[in-house]
Amino acid sequence: RGGEAICRPDPGWDAYYTTLLPDAAKYQTVRNREFAQKLYQLGDDPASPRRVSFHCHFPREADGLAFAGQALEKGFAVGATRFEPARELPYEVVLHKVSDIAAKNIDALTTRAIRLAQEQGGELSGWDCPVIPRGKVFR
């Protein structure tokens, strides 16, 4: 009562990214939808299981190794590791998990990867997977 709404343009979506999506995991859910939509436009069937790869980066090699051990305990497979000196977080560890990319499942996996990476001072930089064509059954 007696309140007044203040509206102003927010072309950079600052309120959205700082208030509504305050952490990396919540922001990643938006990115997940965008990426899944691109895959769908390529003919992907989001309900089909496939190998999903999660690319995580760390400041030190030891951080990446500790992360890899924890990820194994949480059901991920550990793939390639590499050093990319041009990156701010130069040590990459790639995790793999067989899953469909339905919103609920991919969000759960990216959140788990983000939380594990954060424990070691790292971050999830993205994920990828092969396109599984709609109407094809690989079971």
Side-chain angles (χ1 to χ4, degrees):
R1 181 175 163 152
E4 173 180 324
I6 299 172
C7 297
R8 64 177 173 82
D10 191 8
W13 289 64
D14 294 330
Y16 182 73
Y17 290 116
T18 59
T19 304
L20 298 176
L21 296 173
D23 69 9
K26 289 181 181 176
Y27 177 57
Q28 184 64 46
T29 63
V30 174
R31 295 177 68 198
N32 291 347
R33 299 300 173 282
E34 292 169 351
F35 187 57
Q37 181 61 34
K38 288 178 185 174
L39 293 174
Y40 188 79
Q41 289 171 350
L42 293 172
D44 185 68
D45 176 9
S48 291
R50 81 285 307 277
R51 184 180 76 170
V52 183
S53 300
F54 303 90
H55 302 268
C56 300
H57 290 85
F58 301 88
R60 300 177 313 133
E61 183 177 26
D63 300 326
L65 294 173
F67 165 78
Q70 289 179 335
L72 282 170
E73 292 175 5
K74 298 294 183 182
F76 288 96
V78 177
T81 60
R82 71 182 132 249
F83 177 65
E84 300 176 26
R87 292 186 68 101
E88 182 178 336
L89 300 175
Y91 293 93
E92 180 183 37
V93 176
V94 180
L95 301 181
H96 303 290
K97 186 80 173 170
V98 174
S99 176
D100 61 48
I101 59 168
K104 179 180 173 183
N105 294 331
I106 197 66
D107 288 348
L109 290 171
T110 56
T111 297
R112 190 176 319 150
I114 287 167
R115 299 290 185 243
L116 287 170
Q118 288 174 336
E119 290 176 15
Q120 300 301 325
E123 63 185 32
L124 173 72
S125 62
W127 59 273
D128 60 48
C129 64
V131 172
I132 306 296
R134 287 189 291 274
K136 303 282 185 184
V137 178
F138 295 107
R139 300 177 213 257

